[in-house]
Amino acid sequence: MRRITMLLAALLFGIMATTAACVSDHDRLVDFDKLPAKAKSFIKQNFANEKIAHILYDSELTDRDYKVRFENGTEVEFNNDGKWTKVDCQRMAVPAAIVPTEIASYVERNFADKQIVEISCDWNEWEVQLSNGLELQFNSKFKLREIDGVYGGELAGHY
């Protein structure tokens, strides 16, 4: 029994030490010069006229990323390597240069009077939000998978 108690105590101490080490880096403000080169370049190319409100470095056990918030409310998220993963321009259009041609063409064909106000990319899918609130999901080959919770394909042409 004593051996089990000691083992549990050691395990608990190890978990606490690991958590403390992770929390020390968790959610802290950083300066622009601390961003990876790719992220700096992306901001300079696409948001050169915007003033940065703050940059948050978020470190979790398996995930590290940067969240840049501009004074106009736009938010851009970057992974640890500096690749953008999400751009949320609130009610304004995201920069056209970051939208893949296939997605831009689909939106222009089917929602000509709407703007893409948010875009995110993951290793196997893209998601965009339009100015009318609809969310479109595309697979890695830019084929529509889902529209605002309605599985794509059959209803995609009705919008």
Side-chain angles (χ1 to χ4, degrees), residues 22-50:
C22 292
V23 170
S24 66
D25 229 6
H26 185 66
D27 288 348
R28 63 183 164 102
L29 293 173
V30 296
D31 293 325
F32 182 78
D33 62 336
K34 298 294 183 193
L35 286 173
K38 273 179 155 175
K40 288 187 226 179
S41 177
F42 181 86
I43 290 171
K44 288 175 183 174
Q45 288 175 348
N46 297 289
F47 298 97
N49 297 326
E50 300 300 329

PDB file of all heavy atoms in Angstrom, residues 22-50:
ATOM      1  N   CYS A  22       4.584  24.138 -18.614  1.00  0.00           N
ATOM      2  CA  CYS A  22       3.798  24.543 -19.776  1.00  0.00           C
ATOM      3  C   CYS A  22       3.082  25.862 -19.531  1.00  0.00           C
ATOM      4  O   CYS A  22       2.974  26.692 -20.413  1.00  0.00           O
ATOM      5  CB  CYS A  22       2.780  23.466 -20.135  1.00  0.00           C
ATOM      6  SG  CYS A  22       3.554  21.976 -20.750  1.00  0.00           S
ATOM      7  N   VAL A  23       2.585  26.070 -18.361  1.00  0.00           N
ATOM      8  CA  VAL A  23       1.830  27.274 -18.045  1.00  0.00           C
ATOM      9  C   VAL A  23       2.733  28.496 -18.037  1.00  0.00           C
ATOM     10  O   VAL A  23       2.312  29.586 -18.371  1.00  0.00           O
ATOM     11  CB  VAL A  23       1.092  27.119 -16.698  1.00  0.00           C
ATOM     12  CG1 VAL A  23       0.500  28.434 -16.230  1.00  0.00           C
ATOM     13  CG2 VAL A  23       0.005  26.073 -16.830  1.00  0.00           C
ATOM     14  N   SER A  24       3.989  28.320 -17.698  1.00  0.00           N
ATOM     15  CA  SER A  24       4.883  29.463 -17.632  1.00  0.00           C
ATOM     16  C   SER A  24       5.001  30.160 -18.984  1.00  0.00           C
ATOM     17  O   SER A  24       5.241  31.351 -19.043  1.00  0.00           O
ATOM     18  CB  SER A  24       6.262  29.029 -17.133  1.00  0.00           C
ATOM     19  OG  SER A  24       6.876  28.175 -18.076  1.00  0.00           O
ATOM     20  N   ASP A  25       4.853  29.430 -20.077  1.00  0.00           N
ATOM     21  CA  ASP A  25       4.944  29.985 -21.413  1.00  0.00           C
ATOM     22  C   ASP A  25       3.565  30.244 -22.015  1.00  0.00           C
ATOM     23  O   ASP A  25       3.444  30.848 -23.058  1.00  0.00           O
ATOM     24  CB  ASP A  25       5.697  28.986 -22.311  1.00  0.00           C
ATOM     25  CG  ASP A  25       6.797  29.656 -23.081  1.00  0.00           C
ATOM     26  OD1 ASP A  25       7.041  30.848 -22.837  1.00  0.00           O
ATOM     27  OD2 ASP A  25       7.406  28.986 -23.923  1.00  0.00           O
ATOM     28  N   HIS A  26       2.525  29.797 -21.366  1.00  0.00           N
ATOM     29  CA  HIS A  26       1.165  29.831 -21.875  1.00  0.00           C
ATOM     30  C   HIS A  26       0.625  31.255 -21.934  1.00  0.00           C
ATOM     31  O   HIS A  26       0.664  31.982 -20.954  1.00  0.00           O
ATOM     32  CB  HIS A  26       0.297  28.944 -20.972  1.00  0.00           C
ATOM     33  CG  HIS A  26      -1.101  28.783 -21.424  1.00  0.00           C
ATOM     34  ND1 HIS A  26      -1.425  28.135 -22.571  1.00  0.00           N
ATOM     35  CD2 HIS A  26      -2.266  29.203 -20.878  1.00  0.00           C
ATOM     36  CE1 HIS A  26      -2.734  28.148 -22.705  1.00  0.00           C
ATOM     37  NE2 HIS A  26      -3.257  28.796 -21.691  1.00  0.00           N
ATOM     38  N   ASP A  27       0.124  31.665 -23.094  1.00  0.00           N
ATOM     39  CA  ASP A  27      -0.525  32.967 -23.263  1.00  0.00           C
ATOM     40  C   ASP A  27       0.303  34.140 -22.753  1.00  0.00           C
ATOM     41  O   ASP A  27       0.089  34.640 -21.655  1.00  0.00           O
ATOM     42  CB  ASP A  27      -1.880  32.989 -22.550  1.00  0.00           C
ATOM     43  CG  ASP A  27      -2.922  32.152 -23.245  1.00  0.00           C
ATOM     44  OD1 ASP A  27      -2.688  31.739 -24.388  1.00  0.00           O
ATOM     45  OD2 ASP A  27      -3.974  31.925 -22.641  1.00  0.00           O
ATOM     46  N   ARG A  28       1.229  34.581 -23.570  1.00  0.00           N
ATOM     47  CA  ARG A  28       1.994  35.769 -23.193  1.00  0.00           C
ATOM     48  C   ARG A  28       2.090  36.706 -24.381  1.00  0.00           C
ATOM     49  O   ARG A  28       2.089  36.275 -25.541  1.00  0.00           O
ATOM     50  CB  ARG A  28       3.364  35.406 -22.656  1.00  0.00           C
ATOM     51  CG  ARG A  28       4.259  34.718 -23.644  1.00  0.00           C
ATOM     52  CD  ARG A  28       5.590  34.329 -22.983  1.00  0.00           C
ATOM     53  NE  ARG A  28       6.278  33.356 -23.791  1.00  0.00           N
ATOM     54  CZ  ARG A  28       7.297  33.639 -24.593  1.00  0.00           C
ATOM     55  NH1 ARG A  28       7.764  34.855 -24.671  1.00  0.00           N
ATOM     56  NH2 ARG A  28       7.866  32.687 -25.300  1.00  0.00           N
ATOM     57  N   LEU A  29       2.176  37.972 -24.099  1.00  0.00           N
ATOM     58  CA  LEU A  29       2.314  38.979 -25.139  1.00  0.00           C
ATOM     59  C   LEU A  29       3.752  39.006 -25.647  1.00  0.00           C
ATOM     60  O   LEU A  29       4.695  38.854 -24.862  1.00  0.00           O
ATOM     61  CB  LEU A  29       1.938  40.359 -24.601  1.00  0.00           C
ATOM     62  CG  LEU A  29       0.465  40.539 -24.234  1.00  0.00           C
ATOM     63  CD1 LEU A  29       0.254  41.882 -23.557  1.00  0.00           C
ATOM     64  CD2 LEU A  29      -0.421  40.412 -25.456  1.00  0.00           C
ATOM     65  N   VAL A  30       3.904  39.162 -26.960  1.00  0.00           N
ATOM     66  CA  VAL A  30       5.234  39.254 -27.562  1.00  0.00           C
ATOM     67  C   VAL A  30       5.262  40.436 -28.532  1.00  0.00           C
ATOM     68  O   VAL A  30       4.220  40.937 -28.949  1.00  0.00           O
ATOM     69  CB  VAL A  30       5.638  37.950 -28.293  1.00  0.00           C
ATOM     70  CG1 VAL A  30       5.755  36.786 -27.324  1.00  0.00           C
ATOM     71  CG2 VAL A  30       4.679  37.611 -29.411  1.00  0.00           C
ATOM     72  N   ASP A  31       6.458  40.854 -28.882  1.00  0.00           N
ATOM     73  CA  ASP A  31       6.651  41.936 -29.841  1.00  0.00           C
ATOM     74  C   ASP A  31       6.688  41.375 -31.260  1.00  0.00           C
ATOM     75  O   ASP A  31       6.944  40.190 -31.472  1.00  0.00           O
ATOM     76  CB  ASP A  31       7.958  42.670 -29.565  1.00  0.00           C
ATOM     77  CG  ASP A  31       7.931  43.435 -28.252  1.00  0.00           C
ATOM     78  OD1 ASP A  31       6.846  43.954 -27.901  1.00  0.00           O
ATOM     79  OD2 ASP A  31       8.981  43.504 -27.594  1.00  0.00           O
ATOM     80  N   PHE A  32       6.486  42.259 -32.233  1.00  0.00           N
ATOM     81  CA  PHE A  32       6.481  41.886 -33.646  1.00  0.00           C
ATOM     82  C   PHE A  32       7.768  41.155 -34.037  1.00  0.00           C
ATOM     83  O   PHE A  32       7.726  40.189 -34.793  1.00  0.00           O
ATOM     84  CB  PHE A  32       6.303  43.143 -34.517  1.00  0.00           C
ATOM     85  CG  PHE A  32       6.239  42.850 -35.986  1.00  0.00           C
ATOM     86  CD1 PHE A  32       5.070  42.360 -36.564  1.00  0.00           C
ATOM     87  CD2 PHE A  32       7.333  43.069 -36.800  1.00  0.00           C
ATOM     88  CE1 PHE A  32       5.003  42.081 -37.920  1.00  0.00           C
ATOM     89  CE2 PHE A  32       7.282  42.800 -38.156  1.00  0.00           C
ATOM     90  CZ  PHE A  32       6.110  42.310 -38.719  1.00  0.00           C
ATOM     91  N   ASP A  33       8.894  41.580 -33.499  1.00  0.00           N
ATOM     92  CA  ASP A  33      10.167  40.960 -33.862  1.00  0.00           C
ATOM     93  C   ASP A  33      10.300  39.521 -33.373  1.00  0.00           C
ATOM     94  O   ASP A  33      11.190  38.792 -33.813  1.00  0.00           O
ATOM     95  CB  ASP A  33      11.347  41.807 -33.404  1.00  0.00           C
ATOM     96  CG  ASP A  33      11.425  41.978 -31.904  1.00  0.00           C
ATOM     97  OD1 ASP A  33      10.392  41.856 -31.227  1.00  0.00           O
ATOM     98  OD2 ASP A  33      12.544  42.242 -31.406  1.00  0.00           O
ATOM     99  N   LYS A  34       9.415  39.071 -32.480  1.00  0.00           N
ATOM    100  CA  LYS A  34       9.443  37.688 -31.992  1.00  0.00           C
ATOM    101  C   LYS A  34       8.665  36.727 -32.897  1.00  0.00           C
ATOM    102  O   LYS A  34       8.731  35.508 -32.726  1.00  0.00           O
ATOM    103  CB  LYS A  34       8.864  37.593 -30.574  1.00  0.00           C
ATOM    104  CG  LYS A  34       9.648  38.378 -29.549  1.00  0.00           C
ATOM    105  CD  LYS A  34      11.012  37.816 -29.336  1.00  0.00           C
ATOM    106  CE  LYS A  34      11.732  38.587 -28.243  1.00  0.00           C
ATOM    107  NZ  LYS A  34      13.133  38.314 -28.167  1.00  0.00           N
ATOM    108  N   LEU A  35       7.923  37.280 -33.872  1.00  0.00           N
ATOM    109  CA  LEU A  35       7.188  36.428 -34.800  1.00  0.00           C
ATOM    110  C   LEU A  35       8.157  35.713 -35.739  1.00  0.00           C
ATOM    111  O   LEU A  35       9.207  36.258 -36.085  1.00  0.00           O
ATOM    112  CB  LEU A  35       6.232  37.260 -35.657  1.00  0.00           C
ATOM    113  CG  LEU A  35       4.973  37.795 -35.006  1.00  0.00           C
ATOM    114  CD1 LEU A  35       4.242  38.731 -35.970  1.00  0.00           C
ATOM    115  CD2 LEU A  35       4.062  36.663 -34.584  1.00  0.00           C
ATOM    116  N   PRO A  36       7.788  34.507 -36.198  1.00  0.00           N
ATOM    117  CA  PRO A  36       8.606  33.843 -37.223  1.00  0.00           C
ATOM    118  C   PRO A  36       8.638  34.697 -38.498  1.00  0.00           C
ATOM    119  O   PRO A  36       7.717  35.477 -38.768  1.00  0.00           O
ATOM    120  CB  PRO A  36       7.856  32.522 -37.467  1.00  0.00           C
ATOM    121  CG  PRO A  36       7.035  32.310 -36.237  1.00  0.00           C
ATOM    122  CD  PRO A  36       6.671  33.676 -35.752  1.00  0.00           C
ATOM    123  N   ALA A  37       9.695  34.547 -39.281  1.00  0.00           N
ATOM    124  CA  ALA A  37       9.898  35.352 -40.493  1.00  0.00           C
ATOM    125  C   ALA A  37       8.707  35.260 -41.449  1.00  0.00           C
ATOM    126  O   ALA A  37       8.295  36.276 -42.031  1.00  0.00           O
ATOM    127  CB  ALA A  37      11.177  34.922 -41.197  1.00  0.00           C
ATOM    128  N   LYS A  38       8.141  34.067 -41.625  1.00  0.00           N
ATOM    129  CA  LYS A  38       6.987  33.903 -42.521  1.00  0.00           C
ATOM    130  C   LYS A  38       5.806  34.759 -42.074  1.00  0.00           C
ATOM    131  O   LYS A  38       5.113  35.348 -42.896  1.00  0.00           O
ATOM    132  CB  LYS A  38       6.519  32.436 -42.542  1.00  0.00           C
ATOM    133  CG  LYS A  38       7.188  31.545 -43.502  1.00  0.00           C
ATOM    134  CD  LYS A  38       6.570  30.158 -43.308  1.00  0.00           C
ATOM    135  CE  LYS A  38       6.682  29.309 -44.513  1.00  0.00           C
ATOM    136  NZ  LYS A  38       6.190  27.951 -44.252  1.00  0.00           N
ATOM    137  N   ALA A  39       5.553  34.802 -40.782  1.00  0.00           N
ATOM    138  CA  ALA A  39       4.438  35.579 -40.245  1.00  0.00           C
ATOM    139  C   ALA A  39       4.677  37.070 -40.458  1.00  0.00           C
ATOM    140  O   ALA A  39       3.770  37.806 -40.856  1.00  0.00           O
ATOM    141  CB  ALA A  39       4.241  35.273 -38.763  1.00  0.00           C
ATOM    142  N   LYS A  40       5.898  37.525 -40.212  1.00  0.00           N
ATOM    143  CA  LYS A  40       6.225  38.938 -40.423  1.00  0.00           C
ATOM    144  C   LYS A  40       6.002  39.319 -41.889  1.00  0.00           C
ATOM    145  O   LYS A  40       5.424  40.357 -42.190  1.00  0.00           O
ATOM    146  CB  LYS A  40       7.674  39.220 -40.030  1.00  0.00           C
ATOM    147  CG  LYS A  40       7.929  39.199 -38.555  1.00  0.00           C
ATOM    148  CD  LYS A  40       9.357  39.667 -38.314  1.00  0.00           C
ATOM    149  CE  LYS A  40      10.035  38.753 -37.346  1.00  0.00           C
ATOM    150  NZ  LYS A  40      11.409  39.115 -37.069  1.00  0.00           N
ATOM    151  N   SER A  41       6.474  38.461 -42.776  1.00  0.00           N
ATOM    152  CA  SER A  41       6.329  38.717 -44.211  1.00  0.00           C
ATOM    153  C   SER A  41       4.855  38.761 -44.618  1.00  0.00           C
ATOM    154  O   SER A  41       4.431  39.639 -45.386  1.00  0.00           O
ATOM    155  CB  SER A  41       7.068  37.628 -44.997  1.00  0.00           C
ATOM    156  OG  SER A  41       6.892  37.802 -46.376  1.00  0.00           O
ATOM    157  N   PHE A  42       4.060  37.838 -44.098  1.00  0.00           N
ATOM    158  CA  PHE A  42       2.622  37.791 -44.394  1.00  0.00           C
ATOM    159  C   PHE A  42       1.944  39.088 -43.963  1.00  0.00           C
ATOM    160  O   PHE A  42       1.145  39.659 -44.704  1.00  0.00           O
ATOM    161  CB  PHE A  42       1.978  36.593 -43.689  1.00  0.00           C
ATOM    162  CG  PHE A  42       0.511  36.453 -43.948  1.00  0.00           C
ATOM    163  CD1 PHE A  42       0.048  35.767 -45.057  1.00  0.00           C
ATOM    164  CD2 PHE A  42      -0.412  37.004 -43.074  1.00  0.00           C
ATOM    165  CE1 PHE A  42      -1.307  35.635 -45.311  1.00  0.00           C
ATOM    166  CE2 PHE A  42      -1.777  36.877 -43.310  1.00  0.00           C
ATOM    167  CZ  PHE A  42      -2.224  36.192 -44.426  1.00  0.00           C
ATOM    168  N   ILE A  43       2.267  39.556 -42.774  1.00  0.00           N
ATOM    169  CA  ILE A  43       1.664  40.791 -42.267  1.00  0.00           C
ATOM    170  C   ILE A  43       2.091  41.982 -43.123  1.00  0.00           C
ATOM    171  O   ILE A  43       1.263  42.815 -43.497  1.00  0.00           O
ATOM    172  CB  ILE A  43       2.025  41.005 -40.782  1.00  0.00           C
ATOM    173  CG1 ILE A  43       1.288  39.966 -39.930  1.00  0.00           C
ATOM    174  CG2 ILE A  43       1.673  42.426 -40.334  1.00  0.00           C
ATOM    175  CD1 ILE A  43       1.724  39.929 -38.479  1.00  0.00           C
ATOM    176  N   LYS A  44       3.363  42.055 -43.460  1.00  0.00           N
ATOM    177  CA  LYS A  44       3.858  43.167 -44.273  1.00  0.00           C
ATOM    178  C   LYS A  44       3.216  43.174 -45.659  1.00  0.00           C
ATOM    179  O   LYS A  44       2.936  44.236 -46.221  1.00  0.00           O
ATOM    180  CB  LYS A  44       5.378  43.110 -44.384  1.00  0.00           C
ATOM    181  CG  LYS A  44       6.068  43.485 -43.085  1.00  0.00           C
ATOM    182  CD  LYS A  44       7.571  43.311 -43.192  1.00  0.00           C
ATOM    183  CE  LYS A  44       8.257  43.621 -41.872  1.00  0.00           C
ATOM    184  NZ  LYS A  44       9.692  43.334 -41.910  1.00  0.00           N
ATOM    185  N   GLN A  45       2.972  41.991 -46.235  1.00  0.00           N
ATOM    186  CA  GLN A  45       2.375  41.898 -47.565  1.00  0.00           C
ATOM    187  C   GLN A  45       0.879  42.170 -47.560  1.00  0.00           C
ATOM    188  O   GLN A  45       0.361  42.765 -48.500  1.00  0.00           O
ATOM    189  CB  GLN A  45       2.618  40.505 -48.169  1.00  0.00           C
ATOM    190  CG  GLN A  45       4.027  40.261 -48.578  1.00  0.00           C
ATOM    191  CD  GLN A  45       4.235  38.830 -49.060  1.00  0.00           C
ATOM    192  OE1 GLN A  45       3.391  37.960 -48.883  1.00  0.00           O
ATOM    193  NE2 GLN A  45       5.385  38.582 -49.662  1.00  0.00           N
ATOM    194  N   ASN A  46       0.168  41.721 -46.540  1.00  0.00           N
ATOM    195  CA  ASN A  46      -1.291  41.758 -46.566  1.00  0.00           C
ATOM    196  C   ASN A  46      -1.939  42.772 -45.626  1.00  0.00           C
ATOM    197  O   ASN A  46      -3.111  43.109 -45.800  1.00  0.00           O
ATOM    198  CB  ASN A  46      -1.842  40.361 -46.268  1.00  0.00           C
ATOM    199  CG  ASN A  46      -1.442  39.369 -47.319  1.00  0.00           C
ATOM    200  OD1 ASN A  46      -1.934  39.411 -48.434  1.00  0.00           O
ATOM    201  ND2 ASN A  46      -0.521  38.489 -46.986  1.00  0.00           N
ATOM    202  N   PHE A  47      -1.199  43.234 -44.636  1.00  0.00           N
ATOM    203  CA  PHE A  47      -1.766  44.154 -43.650  1.00  0.00           C
ATOM    204  C   PHE A  47      -0.808  45.307 -43.341  1.00  0.00           C
ATOM    205  O   PHE A  47      -0.733  45.781 -42.209  1.00  0.00           O
ATOM    206  CB  PHE A  47      -2.127  43.394 -42.357  1.00  0.00           C
ATOM    207  CG  PHE A  47      -3.171  42.349 -42.567  1.00  0.00           C
ATOM    208  CD1 PHE A  47      -2.823  41.018 -42.758  1.00  0.00           C
ATOM    209  CD2 PHE A  47      -4.520  42.681 -42.599  1.00  0.00           C
ATOM    210  CE1 PHE A  47      -3.791  40.042 -42.972  1.00  0.00           C
ATOM    211  CE2 PHE A  47      -5.494  41.723 -42.813  1.00  0.00           C
ATOM    212  CZ  PHE A  47      -5.130  40.400 -42.998  1.00  0.00           C
ATOM    213  N   ALA A  48      -0.106  45.757 -44.341  1.00  0.00           N
ATOM    214  CA  ALA A  48       0.914  46.790 -44.169  1.00  0.00           C
ATOM    215  C   ALA A  48       0.346  48.087 -43.595  1.00  0.00           C
ATOM    216  O   ALA A  48       1.044  48.789 -42.857  1.00  0.00           O
ATOM    217  CB  ALA A  48       1.606  47.079 -45.499  1.00  0.00           C
ATOM    218  N   ASN A  49      -0.895  48.400 -43.901  1.00  0.00           N
ATOM    219  CA  ASN A  49      -1.482  49.664 -43.446  1.00  0.00           C
ATOM    220  C   ASN A  49      -2.224  49.551 -42.120  1.00  0.00           C
ATOM    221  O   ASN A  49      -2.793  50.534 -41.656  1.00  0.00           O
ATOM    222  CB  ASN A  49      -2.434  50.220 -44.510  1.00  0.00           C
ATOM    223  CG  ASN A  49      -1.688  50.548 -45.789  1.00  0.00           C
ATOM    224  OD1 ASN A  49      -0.536  50.954 -45.764  1.00  0.00           O
ATOM    225  ND2 ASN A  49      -2.352  50.352 -46.919  1.00  0.00           N
ATOM    226  N   GLU A  50      -2.222  48.373 -41.530  1.00  0.00           N
ATOM    227  CA  GLU A  50      -2.950  48.166 -40.274  1.00  0.00           C
ATOM    228  C   GLU A  50      -1.996  48.265 -39.091  1.00  0.00           C
ATOM    229  O   GLU A  50      -0.859  47.810 -39.156  1.00  0.00           O
ATOM    230  CB  GLU A  50      -3.639  46.803 -40.269  1.00  0.00           C
ATOM    231  CG  GLU A  50      -4.654  46.612 -41.375  1.00  0.00           C
ATOM    232  CD  GLU A  50      -5.789  47.617 -41.341  1.00  0.00           C
ATOM    233  OE1 GLU A  50      -6.156  48.071 -40.239  1.00  0.00           O
ATOM    234  OE2 GLU A  50      -6.296  47.959 -42.415  1.00  0.00           O
TER     235      GLU A  50
END
